[in-house]
């Protein structure tokens, strides 16, 4: 009797397991059956928002399902990023990760509520964005070498602006200090706009930030561009040399964006998302749109993206430690 009962229980369990597996497979094959949430961990209007909304449009077109953008800003992007790391891994929550959330904050924020490589499946490295090193015209330097010479001649006199302590513009300037062996003074502001206003008025001497915000002022002559921070010149300003060409051989940095999902999201889902995004990044229309922002489409695989993130985290960890940067 007990033997028959055990056999019956095992038989029912097998049926239940098959039903469960079938249900999971059907759920993955039919995904998406409801709107997808794309979290952008910064306010509307900035470069993260622009790139995120472009990703949302491409996913909507390919999937035939709404992609709802949620701007969840705060704490250098950590609030939005952590919310995605802890979201259900069902394919309905995605994140636009950034240099701040995935490259800088792992070292800058000692109580960070997520691990970039463990708590996310980083689907694709989306784009790299070039940055300018610019000075106010009153600064008597027309090249990086001249700026470095000026800083050495007057240590602690030159100052630079940033979008806040621990932000990309702050750390790029600290990397410049370290590579050139100089000391300049940090003046933090609350965002690109106030820092740019300060630079245009001559309140600060130099600033490192993305091409879209700075290029119009360079073209008008209100600012002087000394270098591009990546290892290739920008087609938008081909006359501006790279940092490497300017005498800093180890200086090659960019702002970047990745598409991430909670770590346990089904790989069938993330693979489909990745294929859509990589294909869209390869289109002439998308490349032209990004190029106008000083951005280069990448579309790296998850494995390539993970390796890229390891290198970035290591680089910015070293900069933060050497400069003694502490979070606000």
């Amino acid at each position: 009797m007990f033997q028959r009962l055990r056999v019956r229980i095992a038989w029912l369990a097998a049926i239940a397991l098959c039903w469960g597996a079938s249900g999971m497979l059907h759920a993955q094959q039919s995904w998406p059956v409801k709107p997808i949430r794309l979290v952008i961990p910064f306010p509307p209007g900035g470069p993260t928002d622009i790139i995120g909304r472009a990703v949302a449009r491409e996913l909507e077109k390919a999937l035939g399902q709404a992609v709802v953008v949620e701007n969840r800003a705060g704490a250098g992007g950590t609030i939005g990023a952590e919310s995605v790391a802890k979201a259900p891994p069902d394919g309905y929550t995605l994140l636009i990760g950034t240099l701040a959330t995935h490259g800088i904050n792992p070292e800058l924020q000692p109580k960070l509520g997520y691990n970039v490589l463990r708590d996310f499946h980083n689907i694709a490295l989306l784009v790299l964005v070039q940055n300018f090193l610019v000075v106010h015209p009153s600064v008597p330097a027309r090249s990086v070498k001249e700026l470095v010479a000026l800083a050495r001649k007057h240590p602690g006199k030159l100052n630079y602006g940033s979008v806040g302590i621990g932000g990309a513009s702050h750390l790029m300037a600290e990397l410049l200090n370290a590579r050139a062996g100089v000391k300049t003074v940090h003046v933090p502001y609350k965002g690109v706009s106030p820092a740019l206003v300060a630079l245009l008025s001559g309140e600060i001497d130099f600033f490192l930030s993305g091409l879209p915000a700075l290029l119009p002022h360079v073209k008008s002559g209100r600012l002087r561009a000394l270098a591009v921070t990546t290892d290739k010149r920008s087609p938008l300003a081909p006359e501006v040399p790279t940092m490497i060409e300017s005498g800093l051989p180890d200086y090659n940095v960019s702002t970047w964006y990745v598409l991430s999902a909670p770590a346990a999201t089904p790989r069938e889902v993330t693979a489909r998302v990745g294929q859509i995004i990589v294909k869209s990044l390869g289109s002439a229309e998308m490349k032209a749109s990004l190029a106008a922002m000083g951005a280069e489409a990448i579309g790296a695989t998850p494995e390539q993206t993970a390796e890229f993130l390891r290198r970035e985290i290591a680089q910015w960890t070293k900069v933060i430690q050497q400069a003694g940067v502490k979070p606000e």
Side-chain angles (χ1 to χ4, degrees):
M1 176 179 175
F2 289 110
Q3 180 64 27
R4 288 198 303 271
L5 181 60
R6 282 197 295 268
V7 171
R8 183 174 179 80
I9 290 172
W11 180 68
L12 290 172
I15 291 175
L17 182 62
C18 289
W19 282 349
S22 175
M24 289 176 64
L25 180 61
H26 175 73
Q28 291 172 9
Q29 288 175 338
S30 60
W31 178 92
V33 296
K34 63 180 181 179
I36 298 164
R37 185 169 62 108
L38 178 63
V39 175
I40 297 174
F42 290 95
T48 312
D49 186 64
I50 292 169
I51 289 169
R53 289 178 187 276
V55 168
R57 287 193 296 271
E58 294 299 321
L59 288 174
E60 280 189 342
K61 284 192 297 184
L63 296 172
Q65 183 61 261
V67 178
V68 180
V69 170
E70 179 182 332
N71 292 93
R72 194 162 186 180
T78 60
I79 291 175
E82 185 174 346
S83 75
V84 175
K86 296 179 177 178
D90 55 8
Y92 291 96
T93 305
L94 301 171
L95 170 73
I96 299 295
T98 70
L99 169 58
T101 64
H102 283 40
I104 292 173
N105 288 341
E107 174 62 24
L108 184 67
Q109 303 288 347
K111 296 182 179 179
L112 195 64
Y114 59 86
N115 180 290
V116 170
L117 298 172
R118 184 189 64 220
D119 297 331
F120 292 111
H121 179 59
N122 296 297
I123 300 168
L125 173 62
L126 300 171
V127 298
L128 301 179
V129 180
Q130 294 178 308
N131 299 275
F132 270 157
L133 165 61
V134 294
V135 297
H136 187 268
S138 65
V139 177
R142 294 189 171 274
S143 68
V144 174
K145 288 182 179 179
E146 289 182 4
L147 183 68
V148 169
L150 195 62
R152 286 176 179 160
K153 185 177 180 180
H154 305 286
K157 295 296 184 182
L158 286 179
N159 58 33
Y160 67 89
S162 81
V163 300
I165 294 173
S169 54
H170 177 197
L171 297 185
M172 284 190 288
E174 288 298 337
L175 182 60
L176 172 60
N177 284 340
R179 293 283 192 267
V182 297
K183 180 63 179 177
T184 58
V185 179
H186 178 215
V187 183
Y189 296 88
K190 293 187 180 297
V192 172
S193 294
L196 187 53
V197 168
L199 181 64
L200 290 167
S201 68
E203 183 179 317
I204 54 176
D205 297 311
F206 70 95
F207 184 43
L208 286 125
S209 191
L211 266 67
L214 300 179
L215 189 58
H217 303 291
V218 171
K219 294 295 188 184
S220 71
R222 299 184 69 193
L223 295 176
R224 183 184 306 128
L226 301 187
V228 177
T229 62
T230 51
D231 61 352
K232 293 185 291 187
R233 294 194 182 198
S234 169
L236 300 178
E239 73 282 2
V240 180
T242 67
M243 287 283 208
I244 295 171
E245 292 173 322
S246 302
L248 295 179
D250 296 328
Y251 201 109
N252 176 22
V253 299
S254 57
T255 308
W256 43 262
Y257 302 90
V258 301
L259 182 62
S260 303
T265 303
R267 292 300 178 262
E268 294 86 350
V269 170
T270 58
R272 189 175 174 192
V273 170
Q275 289 167 0
I276 292 168
I277 294 305
V278 169
K279 182 179 179 181
S280 69
L281 288 172
S283 71
E285 181 183 359
M286 180 67 85
K287 284 183 176 180
S289 177
L290 291 171
M293 299 170 55
E296 178 187 2
I298 302 297
T301 66
E303 294 75 23
Q304 292 168 335
T305 301
E307 182 56 33
F308 173 84
L309 290 174
R310 290 187 188 97
R311 292 197 305 269
E312 287 289 298
I313 291 169
Q315 173 174 251
W316 296 114
T317 293
K318 187 175 180 180
V319 173
I320 290 166
Q321 291 176 349
Q322 287 181 338
V325 179
K326 301 296 181 184
E328 291 182 276

